[in-house]
Amino acid sequence: LIEHVRTCDVCASIYRQFLSVRNLIKQLKKEEPPEGSLHRTVQHTQWRIQSLIHRKVLVRSILKRVSFYASIAAALLIALLIFTFLFEQSSRKHSSTTADSHSAITSERQTENRLPKTSSAPSEETAHPSPRIPEVTPELSVAPLKPPEEPVEAKRDVVKRDPKEGVEFPRATAESPKPPLPPLPPPFTEKKEEPPLPDIKQVLSLFAEHLKKNDLSGQIEQLHIAAKLKALDFLSSVATNRSYDVALRQEAMVALAEIGDKESVEVILNLLSDADWHLTTVSVPKALSALSDEETVEWLIKDVFGRSPSKEVRTSVAKALGYIQAPIPYDTLTKALKRESEPLVRFLVAESLGQREEKNSLTALELLLKDKEWFVRDAAVRSIGKLEGAYAAMRLLKHLSEEPSPLVLESIVKILARSRCEEAVRPLISLLKVKDRRLFGAVIHALVALTGKTFKTEGEWRNWFTKTGGKTAKPSDEVILPADFYFADIPFYTKSLVFVIDCSQQMMRTGRAEIAFREVEKAVALLPDFVLFNIICYDTYTRFFNHGGLVYANNQNKSKAAEFLKAQRIPQFASAILYDSLEKALELNPDDIILLSGGATSAGKFTNYDRILYELSYRNIFRKTRINVVGLFATTLENTENVIPVGPSVDFLKNLSYQNHGFFIWRWVTFKDSDGK
């Protein structure tokens, strides 16, 4: 290669540029960081990295060109040597009588051509050397092929300057001095070596120490180190030991999932027989979602989910599908869904696929669109609505004419409005013939969102469409939505409604209960006659306005409701049985529930927020009642305009409304504390 560079003008120039770039990289590597501000240092470092990346691409292209020309030169050299050797052999056979004289003349001419003019003629013993490739050393320099037309001092190196940092460096030119040809250095790759893992005995010892100190974070750290060591027996013992804390057992299950083999998954699934609710309902799906091995996930869906006779196992796998880190084999999942007989499991699969938001899930979701249970189809519709692209909206628009359930149609209508599907205007106007008041309101709001018009009746919408052909304008954000009535800025189209009011001492003492009573009194007075309603007040006990169920909002029932609310203004008990009250409200099967509360729950069947959310959402799957929440939060601040409430109770109320298809709004209530402030 070096011999070729000596004799090739193009390759010599390329090689000199390559060496200049390499020397420049070495200089930049040794250079100290520039002084100055941190911003300047970061800018300069980013500029140097981009320059080095650009030169790395240049060096690769140079090496490819050099190797290409070198291979051509080597092939030509070998062909020349072979041709010379064959020519000499044929010459010896045909001219044996004049071989000595002819050989001497030929040898003398070859010697003259091969040696420089200053060298003396070789002897007859070296007149016929055997053809071989001369050995080369890497320390040879490139001789100039053409003498420079000007002195080297007259042509200075071209300098490239960064205008921001003032950094300048030389750029190699054809007239610059020729550098030597050292051997190429090996490629440099900086690797960050991870610290070596400790022995399993050390992990067990540290785990025992943290256990004595009651250091939960230290124990969890050792569990995940044990997962890297594949310590299946140790992690299984922690996960199955009921004397440990539930949070520690849950992390042990997650560590088992990080191992990711079938034995680890079987240990996790066996824990479904545990007595702890949180472990079986929350921890097992959470642990399964940490799986990242594709083969294990394939086995989990094909052999466990598709063939397990246990409903609990299939339910846990269905919950985890939305969060599993490995890709989901949707063909295998679709085959398993065709054999699934439990509607709740199919519902959970549909909801989980919506969490992934992957277009590949459309095959399974379209299968669930044909399910016989309306709540399974509703979950599939909402999951398809989370997918991006026009296909999802058009697929739901096609299903609009095939769906018999008003509750599923309501979900489709909301998705079409959110996706701004203008092709849906005409089908939505045709859908205004429905008798279901709740669906009618959803269609009206969708048409307002798509067109910007605020008509209230089917006739007005049809006349507008006939005259304009459905030409839409950009809707304004300040459009007031039509409604049967408003409550705390929430528009309602409904045929049945239940108010649930927190009357505990905490609400009474801070004045929040009084505000809730006034708002409900105003809303009841404005209810249309065709709306069915009831009122539930709760503290330590639950009290109904009408124990017989829902009643029509006529004048007689409205006056009785006002008297009932006046009687509730007397403080009675301190506790708050939130779950029990909402459970009884759901049993009335209304279209809407309006909860006015600060989020406190201190008594009843369940007081844990996660458990309340799970139980209410599970019960509401088969009803789809909208739970709307008005959060009333107490404060001693006078100016609350820019103050946003935060905390566990706020998050609970938000999730309660979100998981049950309702609205969430909040209000600050200013009160005086015991010091009169």
Side-chain angles (χ1 to χ4, degrees):
L1 176 63
I2 295 175
E3 284 297 317
H4 170 74
V5 173
R6 284 176 177 273
T7 59
C8 179
D9 188 5
V10 178
C11 294
S13 175
I14 292 172
Y15 191 66
R16 282 194 294 271
Q17 294 179 18
F18 162 70
L19 291 176
S20 177
V21 171
R22 190 184 64 180
N23 292 334
L24 174 63
I25 293 174
K26 288 182 178 179
Q27 293 174 7
L28 290 176
K29 187 177 179 183
K30 296 177 181 178
E31 183 180 331
E32 294 294 331
E35 298 180 357
S37 64
L38 178 61
H39 178 70
R40 179 179 177 183
T41 304
V42 171
Q43 270 193 343
H44 177 58
T45 304
Q46 292 177 346
W47 173 80
R48 286 202 305 175
I49 290 173
Q50 293 176 357
S51 301
L52 292 178
I53 293 173
H54 176 71
R55 283 168 178 75
K56 183 178 179 181
V57 176
L58 177 63
V59 168
R60 288 182 178 177
S61 63
I62 290 172
L63 288 178
K64 288 182 180 180
R65 294 178 62 182
V66 169
S67 61
F68 174 75
Y69 288 122
S71 61
I72 295 176
L76 292 175
L77 179 59
I78 294 173
L80 179 60
L81 292 175
I82 294 174
F83 177 80
T84 304
F85 178 75
L86 294 176
F87 180 79
E88 289 178 356
Q89 293 293 334
S90 61
S91 299
R92 289 192 188 116
K93 292 180 181 179
H94 290 86
S95 56
S96 59
T97 56
T98 59
D100 294 336
S101 59
H102 180 72
S103 175
I105 296 171
T106 305
S107 176
E108 185 178 356
R109 291 178 178 176
Q110 291 178 353
T111 303
E112 292 175 357
N113 293 331
R114 189 162 50 247
L115 294 176
K117 293 181 180 180
T118 57
S119 61
S120 59
S123 60
E124 293 180 359
E125 295 178 357
T126 60
H128 298 281
S130 59
R132 65 186 181 88
I133 300 176
E135 297 182 358
V136 294
T137 59
E139 294 297 329
L140 298 177
S141 60
V142 179
L145 301 175
K146 295 181 181 180
E149 298 177 359
E150 301 180 20
V152 178
E153 293 79 11
K155 289 195 174 183
R156 297 185 178 181
D157 295 339
V158 179
V159 177
K160 184 177 181 180
R161 180 184 297 271
D162 182 20
K164 293 183 180 180
E165 302 297 335
V167 180
E168 52 185 46
F169 52 89
R171 186 177 65 192
T173 61
E175 289 77 22
S176 57
K178 282 64 181 179
L181 299 175
L184 298 178
F188 175 75
T189 55
E190 183 178 358
K191 294 183 179 179
K192 294 182 180 179
E193 296 183 358
E194 296 183 358
L197 294 175
D199 187 70
I200 185 61
K201 294 182 180 179
Q202 298 177 2
V203 174
L204 295 175
S205 177
L206 291 173
F207 181 82
E209 292 180 7
H210 292 302
L211 185 62
K212 291 180 181 179
K213 298 177 182 178
N214 200 19
D215 182 6
L216 183 61
S217 61
Q219 297 173 60
I220 292 174
E221 181 182 0
Q222 298 306 314
L223 291 177
H224 291 286
I225 294 176
K228 297 180 180 179
L229 296 173
K230 308 291 184 182
L232 178 62
D233 295 337
F234 167 61
L235 294 175
S236 301
S237 64
V238 176
T240 55
N241 192 338
R242 297 185 179 181
S243 63
Y244 288 135
D245 187 79
V246 174
L248 183 64
R249 297 177 66 189
Q250 176 176 289
E251 289 298 326
M253 295 163 61
V254 174
L256 285 169
E258 291 175 359
I259 296 178
D261 56 11
K262 296 179 182 179
E263 296 180 0
S264 304
V265 176
E266 289 175 349
V267 173
I268 296 172
L269 294 175
N270 289 334
L271 289 169
L272 287 170
S273 59
D274 195 272
D276 187 89
W277 171 86
H278 189 276
L279 196 73
T280 57
T281 308
V282 179
S283 301
V284 172
K286 181 180 179 180
L288 293 176
S289 64
L291 290 174
S292 58
D293 185 74
E294 295 186 16
E295 294 183 0
T296 304
V297 173
E298 177 80 27
W299 165 79
L300 181 67
I301 295 176
K302 182 178 180 181
D303 297 334
V304 178
F305 177 76
R307 300 177 182 177
S308 175
S310 172
K311 175 184 174 182
E312 290 76 14
V313 170
R314 302 197 308 274
T315 299
S316 297
V317 176
K319 290 179 181 178
L321 283 178
Y323 307 96
I324 287 178
Q325 299 178 16
I328 299 295
Y330 288 106
D331 294 339
T332 305
L333 178 62
T334 304
K335 293 178 182 178
L337 285 174
K338 292 179 180 178
R339 300 190 299 268
E340 180 57 54
S341 59
E342 183 61 40
L344 181 61
V345 175
R346 299 196 301 270
F347 169 83
L348 292 173
V349 171
E351 276 207 331
S352 296
L353 295 184
Q355 299 297 329
R356 300 189 72 89
E357 298 184 9
E358 295 175 349
K359 293 183 179 180
N360 295 334
S361 63
L362 276 171
T363 304
L365 290 174
E366 287 185 341
L367 174 66
L368 295 173
L369 275 181
K370 303 175 184 177
D371 199 276
K372 61 181 180 180
E373 300 292 343
W374 71 266
F375 55 87
V376 178
R377 300 195 304 272
D378 184 64
V381 164
R382 288 185 277 112
S383 294
I384 292 176
K386 294 180 181 180
L387 303 178
E388 296 181 359
Y391 176 80
M394 297 308 296
R395 180 66 184 88
L396 294 179
L397 184 60
K398 178 181 178 182
H399 189 68
L400 190 67
S401 59
E402 304 171 357
E403 178 56 51
S405 171
L407 297 176
V408 182
L409 287 173
E410 180 186 354
S411 297
I412 297 176
V413 167
K414 290 180 178 179
I415 293 170
L416 293 175
R418 189 169 61 247
S419 62
R420 302 295 180 183
C421 182
E422 296 183 359
E423 293 83 356
V425 173
R426 185 170 184 174
L428 289 178
I429 293 177
S430 301
L431 200 60
L432 289 173
K433 296 179 180 180
V434 296
K435 297 180 180 179
D436 189 277
R437 192 66 182 172
R438 174 173 167 175
L439 177 58
F440 178 84
V443 175
I444 290 289
H445 291 169
L447 288 171
V448 172
L450 291 173
T451 65
K453 306 299 180 181
T454 57
F455 304 122
K456 296 182 179 180
T457 64
E458 178 193 358
E460 291 176 329
W461 281 106
R462 288 191 177 277
N463 292 335
W464 167 81
F465 188 83
T466 303
K467 294 178 180 178
T468 63
K471 293 182 180 180
T472 61
K474 185 178 180 181
S476 174
D477 295 333
E478 299 179 356
V479 171
I480 299 177
L481 294 175
D484 288 338
F485 67 94
Y486 271 79
F487 182 85
D489 297 333
I490 303 176
F492 282 95
Y493 275 99
T494 185
K495 62 182 180 182
S496 54
L497 175 67
V498 176
F499 297 96
V500 181
I501 307 173
D502 183 357
C503 300
S504 60
Q505 284 185 4
Q506 187 178 11
M507 292 284 289
M508 290 286 190
R509 180 175 58 85
T510 56
R512 290 177 285 175
E514 179 62 29
I515 294 177
F517 292 146
R518 292 177 185 175
E519 292 296 325
V520 173
E521 284 176 347
K522 293 178 184 178
V524 170
L526 296 176
L527 288 178
D529 294 344
F530 59 83
V531 175
L532 296 166
F533 81 102
N534 204 337
I535 304 173
I536 297 177
C537 294
Y538 70 90
D539 39 37
T540 305
Y541 302 97
T542 302
R543 296 179 293 278
F544 286 83
F545 156 61
N546 183 38
H547 292 277
L550 300 173
V551 294
Y552 282 102
N554 52 36
N555 294 332
Q556 182 180 1
N557 290 328
K558 288 180 180 180
S559 61
K560 290 181 179 179
E563 294 177 1
F564 171 77
L565 291 174
K566 288 180 181 179
Q568 305 306 314
R569 285 176 164 82
I570 303 174
Q572 300 184 33
F573 301 96
S575 301
I577 51 172
L578 175 62
Y579 171 79
D580 303 66
S581 304
L582 288 175
E583 182 186 32
K584 292 179 180 179
L586 284 174
E587 291 175 355
L588 299 176
N589 199 23
D591 282 347
D592 289 272
I593 292 175
I594 299 178
L595 172 66
L596 297 95
S597 172
T601 172
S602 56
K605 292 182 181 178
F606 308 112
T607 57
N608 179 269
Y609 284 149
D610 292 336
R611 186 66 185 271
I612 293 175
L613 287 174
Y614 172 81
E615 295 292 341
L616 290 176
S617 299
Y618 175 76
R619 287 180 173 275
N620 202 20
I621 288 173
F622 313 102
R623 295 183 175 90
K624 201 181 178 181
T625 295
R626 296 178 295 203
I627 300 180
N628 306 277
V629 178
V630 180
L632 298 175
F633 305 114
T635 181
T636 57
L637 299 175
E638 294 182 0
N639 186 7
T640 59
E641 183 178 356
N642 297 321
V643 181
I644 299 176
V646 294
S649 59
V650 179
D651 294 337
F652 162 69
L653 294 177
K654 285 182 180 179
N655 291 328
L656 180 62
S657 60
Y658 173 76
Q659 295 179 13
N660 294 277
H661 323 288
F663 290 93
F664 170 77
I665 61 174
W666 51 270
R667 296 286 186 270
W668 282 116
V669 179
T670 303
F671 73 103
K672 294 182 180 181
D673 58 14
S674 58
D675 297 332
K677 295 183 180 179

Coordinates of all heavy atoms in Angstrom, one line a residue, residues 49-102:
I49 N -17.6 18.1 18.9 CA -18.1 16.7 18.7 C -18.7 16.6 17.2 O -18.4 15.6 16.5 CB -19.2 16.4 19.7 CG1 -18.6 16.2 21.1 CG2 -20.0 15.1 19.3 CD1 -19.6 16.1 22.2
Q50 N -19.4 17.6 16.8 CA -19.9 17.6 15.4 C -18.8 17.6 14.4 O -18.9 16.9 13.4 CB -20.8 18.8 15.2 CG -22.1 18.8 16.0 CD -22.9 20.1 15.8 OE1 -22.5 21.0 15.1 NE2 -24.1 20.1 16.5
S51 N -17.7 18.3 14.7 CA -16.6 18.3 13.7 C -15.9 17.0 13.7 O -15.6 16.5 12.6 CB -15.6 19.4 14.2 OG -16.1 20.7 14.2
L52 N -15.8 16.3 14.8 CA -15.1 15.0 14.8 C -16.0 14.0 14.1 O -15.5 13.1 13.4 CB -14.9 14.6 16.3 CG -13.8 15.4 17.0 CD1 -13.7 14.9 18.5 CD2 -12.5 15.3 16.4
I53 N -17.3 14.1 14.3 CA -18.2 13.1 13.6 C -18.0 13.3 12.1 O -18.0 12.3 11.3 CB -19.6 13.3 14.0 CG1 -19.8 12.9 15.5 CG2 -20.6 12.5 13.2 CD1 -21.1 13.2 16.1
H54 N -18.0 14.6 11.6 CA -17.8 14.8 10.2 C -16.5 14.3 9.7 O -16.5 13.7 8.6 CB -17.9 16.4 10.0 CG -17.7 16.7 8.5 ND1 -18.6 16.5 7.5 CD2 -16.6 17.3 7.9 CE1 -18.2 16.9 6.4 NE2 -17.0 17.4 6.6
R55 N -15.5 14.4 10.4 CA -14.2 13.9 10.0 C -14.1 12.4 10.0 O -13.4 11.8 9.2 CB -13.1 14.5 10.9 CG -12.8 16.0 10.5 CD -11.9 16.6 11.5 NE -11.6 18.0 11.1 CZ -12.5 19.0 11.2 NH1 -13.7 18.8 11.6 NH2 -12.1 20.2 10.8
K56 N -14.8 11.8 10.9 CA -14.9 10.3 11.0 C -15.5 9.8 9.7 O -15.0 8.8 9.1 CB -15.7 9.9 12.2 CG -15.8 8.4 12.3 CD -16.6 8.0 13.6 CE -16.6 6.5 13.7 NZ -17.4 6.1 14.9
V57 N -16.5 10.4 9.2 CA -17.1 10.0 7.9 C -16.2 10.2 6.8 O -16.0 9.4 5.9 CB -18.4 10.8 7.7 CG1 -19.0 10.4 6.3 CG2 -19.5 10.5 8.8
L58 N -15.4 11.3 6.8 CA -14.4 11.6 5.8 C -13.3 10.5 5.8 O -12.9 10.0 4.7 CB -13.8 13.0 6.0 CG -12.7 13.4 5.0 CD1 -13.2 13.5 3.6 CD2 -12.1 14.8 5.4
V59 N -12.8 10.1 7.0 CA -11.8 9.1 7.0 C -12.2 7.8 6.5 O -11.5 7.1 5.8 CB -11.3 9.0 8.5 CG1 -10.4 7.8 8.7 CG2 -10.6 10.3 9.0
R60 N -13.5 7.4 6.7 CA -13.9 6.2 6.2 C -14.0 6.2 4.7 O -13.6 5.2 4.0 CB -15.4 5.9 6.8 CG -15.4 5.5 8.2 CD -16.8 5.2 8.7 NE -16.8 4.8 10.1 CZ -17.9 4.5 10.7 NH1 -19.1 4.6 10.1 NH2 -17.9 4.1 12.0
S61 N -14.4 7.3 4.1 CA -14.4 7.3 2.6 C -13.0 7.3 2.1 O -12.8 6.7 1.0 CB -15.2 8.6 2.2 OG -14.5 9.8 2.7
I62 N -12.1 8.0 2.8 CA -10.7 8.0 2.3 C -10.1 6.5 2.3 O -9.5 6.1 1.3 CB -9.8 8.9 3.2 CG1 -10.3 10.4 2.9 CG2 -8.4 8.7 2.9 CD1 -9.6 11.4 3.8
L63 N -10.3 5.8 3.4 CA -9.8 4.5 3.5 C -10.4 3.6 2.4 O -9.7 2.7 1.8 CB -10.1 3.9 4.9 CG -9.3 4.5 6.0 CD1 -9.7 3.9 7.3 CD2 -7.8 4.3 5.8
K64 N -11.7 3.7 2.1 CA -12.3 2.9 1.0 C -11.6 3.2 -0.3 O -11.3 2.3 -1.1 CB -13.8 3.2 1.0 CG -14.6 2.7 2.1 CD -16.1 3.0 2.0 CE -16.9 2.4 3.1 NZ -18.3 2.7 3.0
R65 N -11.4 4.5 -0.6 CA -10.8 4.8 -1.9 C -9.3 4.3 -2.0 O -8.9 3.8 -3.0 CB -10.8 6.4 -2.1 CG -12.2 6.9 -2.3 CD -12.2 8.4 -2.4 NE -11.5 8.9 -3.6 CZ -11.3 10.1 -3.9 NH1 -11.8 11.1 -3.1 NH2 -10.6 10.5 -5.0
V66 N -8.6 4.5 -0.9 CA -7.2 4.0 -0.9 C -7.1 2.5 -1.1 O -6.3 2.0 -1.9 CB -6.5 4.4 0.5 CG1 -5.2 3.7 0.6 CG2 -6.3 5.9 0.5
S67 N -8.0 1.7 -0.4 CA -8.0 0.3 -0.5 C -8.4 -0.1 -2.0 O -7.9 -1.1 -2.5 CB -8.9 -0.3 0.5 OG -10.2 0.1 0.3
F68 N -9.3 0.7 -2.6 CA -9.7 0.3 -3.9 C -8.6 0.5 -4.9 O -8.2 -0.4 -5.7 CB -10.9 1.2 -4.3 CG -11.3 1.1 -5.8 CD1 -12.0 0.0 -6.2 CD2 -11.0 2.1 -6.7 CE1 -12.4 -0.2 -7.5 CE2 -11.4 1.9 -8.0 CZ -12.1 0.8 -8.4
Y69 N -7.9 1.7 -4.9 CA -6.7 1.9 -5.8 C -5.6 1.0 -5.5 O -4.9 0.5 -6.4 CB -6.2 3.4 -5.6 CG -7.2 4.4 -6.2 CD1 -7.7 5.4 -5.5 CD2 -7.6 4.3 -7.6 CE1 -8.6 6.3 -6.0 CE2 -8.5 5.2 -8.1 CZ -9.0 6.2 -7.3 OH -9.8 7.1 -7.9
A70 N -5.4 0.6 -4.2 CA -4.3 -0.3 -3.9 C -4.5 -1.7 -4.5 O -3.6 -2.4 -4.9 CB -4.1 -0.4 -2.4
S71 N -5.8 -2.2 -4.4 CA -6.1 -3.5 -5.0 C -5.9 -3.5 -6.5 O -5.4 -4.5 -7.1 CB -7.5 -3.8 -4.6 OG -8.4 -2.9 -5.2
I72 N -6.2 -2.4 -7.2 CA -6.0 -2.3 -8.6 C -4.5 -2.4 -8.9 O -4.0 -3.1 -9.8 CB -6.7 -1.1 -9.2 CG1 -8.2 -1.2 -9.1 CG2 -6.3 -0.9 -10.7 CD1 -8.9 0.1 -9.5
A73 N -3.7 -1.6 -8.2 CA -2.3 -1.5 -8.4 C -1.7 -2.9 -8.1 O -0.8 -3.3 -8.9 CB -1.7 -0.5 -7.5
A74 N -2.1 -3.6 -7.1 CA -1.5 -4.9 -6.8 C -1.8 -5.9 -7.9 O -1.0 -6.7 -8.3 CB -2.1 -5.4 -5.5
A75 N -3.1 -5.9 -8.4 CA -3.4 -6.8 -9.5 C -2.6 -6.5 -10.8 O -2.1 -7.4 -11.4 CB -4.9 -6.6 -9.8
L76 N -2.4 -5.2 -11.1 CA -1.6 -4.9 -12.3 C -0.1 -5.3 -12.1 O 0.5 -5.8 -13.0 CB -1.6 -3.4 -12.5 CG -3.0 -2.8 -13.0 CD1 -2.9 -1.3 -13.1 CD2 -3.4 -3.4 -14.3
L77 N 0.4 -5.2 -10.9 CA 1.8 -5.6 -10.6 C 2.0 -7.1 -10.8 O 2.9 -7.6 -11.4 CB 2.2 -5.2 -9.2 CG 3.6 -5.5 -8.8 CD1 4.6 -4.9 -9.7 CD2 3.8 -5.1 -7.3
I78 N 1.0 -7.9 -10.3 CA 1.1 -9.3 -10.4 C 1.0 -9.8 -11.8 O 1.7 -10.6 -12.3 CB 0.0 -10.0 -9.5 CG1 0.3 -9.7 -8.0 CG2 -0.1 -11.5 -9.8 CD1 -0.8 -10.2 -7.1
A79 N 0.1 -9.1 -12.6 CA -0.1 -9.5 -14.0 C 1.2 -9.1 -14.8 O 1.6 -9.9 -15.7 CB -1.3 -8.7 -14.6
L80 N 1.8 -8.0 -14.5 CA 3.1 -7.6 -15.2 C 4.2 -8.6 -14.9 O 4.9 -9.0 -15.8 CB 3.5 -6.2 -14.7 CG 4.8 -5.7 -15.3 CD1 4.6 -5.6 -16.9 CD2 5.1 -4.3 -14.8
L81 N 4.3 -9.1 -13.6 CA 5.4 -10.0 -13.3 C 5.1 -11.4 -14.0 O 6.1 -12.0 -14.5 CB 5.4 -10.2 -11.8 CG 5.9 -9.0 -11.0 CD1 5.8 -9.3 -9.5 CD2 7.3 -8.7 -11.3
I82 N 3.9 -11.8 -14.0 CA 3.6 -13.1 -14.7 C 3.9 -13.0 -16.2 O 4.5 -13.9 -16.8 CB 2.1 -13.5 -14.4 CG1 1.9 -13.8 -12.9 CG2 1.7 -14.7 -15.3 CD1 0.5 -14.1 -12.5
F83 N 3.5 -11.9 -16.8 CA 3.7 -11.7 -18.2 C 5.2 -11.7 -18.5 O 5.7 -12.3 -19.5 CB 3.1 -10.4 -18.7 CG 3.3 -10.1 -20.1 CD1 2.6 -10.7 -21.2 CD2 4.3 -9.2 -20.5 CE1 2.8 -10.4 -22.5 CE2 4.5 -8.9 -21.8 CZ 3.8 -9.5 -22.8
T84 N 6.0 -11.0 -17.7 CA 7.5 -10.9 -17.9 C 8.1 -12.3 -17.8 O 8.9 -12.7 -18.6 CB 8.1 -10.0 -16.9 OG1 7.4 -8.7 -17.0 CG2 9.6 -9.8 -17.1
F85 N 7.6 -13.1 -16.8 CA 8.2 -14.4 -16.6 C 7.9 -15.3 -17.8 O 8.7 -16.0 -18.3 CB 7.6 -15.0 -15.3 CG 8.1 -16.4 -15.0 CD1 9.4 -16.6 -14.6 CD2 7.3 -17.5 -15.2 CE1 9.8 -17.9 -14.3 CE2 7.7 -18.8 -15.0 CZ 9.0 -19.0 -14.5
L86 N 6.6 -15.3 -18.3 CA 6.3 -16.1 -19.4 C 7.0 -15.7 -20.7 O 7.4 -16.5 -21.5 CB 4.7 -16.1 -19.7 CG 3.9 -16.7 -18.5 CD1 2.4 -16.5 -18.8 CD2 4.2 -18.2 -18.4
F87 N 7.2 -14.4 -20.8 CA 7.9 -13.9 -22.0 C 9.3 -14.4 -22.1 O 9.8 -14.8 -23.1 CB 7.8 -12.4 -22.1 CG 8.5 -11.8 -23.3 CD1 7.9 -11.7 -24.5 CD2 9.8 -11.3 -23.1 CE1 8.5 -11.2 -25.6 CE2 10.4 -10.7 -24.2 CZ 9.8 -10.7 -25.5
E88 N 10.0 -14.4 -20.9 CA 11.3 -14.9 -20.8 C 11.4 -16.4 -21.1 O 12.4 -16.8 -21.8 CB 11.9 -14.6 -19.5 CG 12.2 -13.1 -19.2 CD 12.7 -12.8 -17.8 OE1 12.8 -13.8 -17.0 OE2 13.0 -11.6 -17.6
Q89 N 10.5 -17.2 -20.6 CA 10.5 -18.6 -20.9 C 10.3 -18.9 -22.4 O 11.0 -19.7 -23.0 CB 9.4 -19.3 -20.1 CG 9.6 -19.2 -18.6 CD 10.8 -20.1 -18.2 OE1 11.2 -21.0 -18.8 NE2 11.5 -19.7 -17.1
S90 N 9.4 -18.2 -23.1 CA 9.2 -18.4 -24.5 C 10.4 -18.0 -25.3 O 10.7 -18.6 -26.3 CB 7.9 -17.7 -24.9 OG 8.1 -16.4 -24.7
S91 N 11.1 -16.9 -24.9 CA 12.2 -16.4 -25.6 C 13.4 -17.5 -25.6 O 14.1 -17.7 -26.5 CB 12.7 -15.1 -25.0 OG 11.7 -14.2 -25.1
R92 N 13.5 -18.1 -24.4 CA 14.6 -19.1 -24.3 C 14.4 -20.3 -25.3 O 15.3 -20.9 -25.8 CB 14.7 -19.6 -22.9 CG 15.2 -18.6 -21.9 CD 15.6 -19.2 -20.6 NE 15.9 -18.2 -19.6 CZ 15.3 -18.0 -18.5 NH1 14.2 -18.6 -18.2 NH2 15.7 -17.0 -17.7
K93 N 13.1 -20.8 -25.4 CA 12.8 -21.9 -26.3 C 13.0 -21.6 -27.8 O 13.5 -22.4 -28.5 CB 11.4 -22.4 -26.1 CG 11.2 -23.0 -24.7 CD 9.7 -23.4 -24.5 CE 9.5 -24.0 -23.1 NZ 8.1 -24.4 -22.9
H94 N 12.7 -20.5 -28.3 CA 12.7 -20.2 -29.7 C 14.0 -19.7 -30.2 O 14.4 -19.7 -31.4 CB 11.6 -19.1 -30.0 CG 10.2 -19.7 -29.9 ND1 9.5 -19.7 -28.7 CD2 9.4 -20.2 -30.9 CE1 8.3 -20.2 -28.9 NE2 8.2 -20.5 -30.2
S95 N 14.9 -19.1 -29.3 CA 16.2 -18.6 -29.7 C 17.3 -19.1 -28.8 O 17.8 -18.4 -28.0 CB 16.1 -17.0 -29.7 OG 15.8 -16.6 -28.4
S96 N 17.5 -20.4 -29.0 CA 18.6 -21.1 -28.2 C 20.0 -20.7 -28.6 O 20.9 -20.6 -27.8 CB 18.4 -22.6 -28.2 OG 18.5 -23.1 -29.5
T97 N 20.2 -20.4 -29.9 CA 21.5 -20.2 -30.4 C 22.0 -18.8 -30.0 O 23.2 -18.6 -29.8 CB 21.5 -20.2 -32.0 OG1 20.5 -19.3 -32.5 CG2 21.2 -21.6 -32.4
T98 N 21.1 -17.8 -29.9 CA 21.5 -16.4 -29.6 C 21.0 -16.1 -28.2 O 20.8 -14.9 -27.9 CB 20.9 -15.4 -30.6 OG1 19.4 -15.6 -30.5 CG2 21.4 -15.7 -32.0
A99 N 20.9 -17.1 -27.3 CA 20.3 -16.8 -25.9 C 21.3 -16.0 -25.1 O 20.8 -15.1 -24.4 CB 20.0 -18.1 -25.2
D100 N 22.6 -16.3 -25.2 CA 23.5 -15.7 -24.3 C 23.6 -14.2 -24.6 O 23.5 -13.3 -23.7 CB 24.9 -16.3 -24.4 CG 24.9 -17.7 -23.9 OD1 24.0 -18.1 -23.1 OD2 25.7 -18.5 -24.3
S101 N 23.8 -13.9 -25.9 CA 23.9 -12.4 -26.3 C 22.6 -11.7 -26.1 O 22.6 -10.5 -25.6 CB 24.4 -12.3 -27.8 OG 23.4 -12.9 -28.6
H102 N 21.5 -12.3 -26.5 CA 20.2 -11.6 -26.3 C 19.9 -11.4 -24.8 O 19.4 -10.3 -24.4 CB 19.1 -12.4 -27.0 CG 17.8 -11.8 -26.8 ND1 17.4 -10.7 -27.5 CD2 16.7 -12.1 -26.1 CE1 16.2 -10.3 -27.2 NE2 15.7 -11.2 -26.3

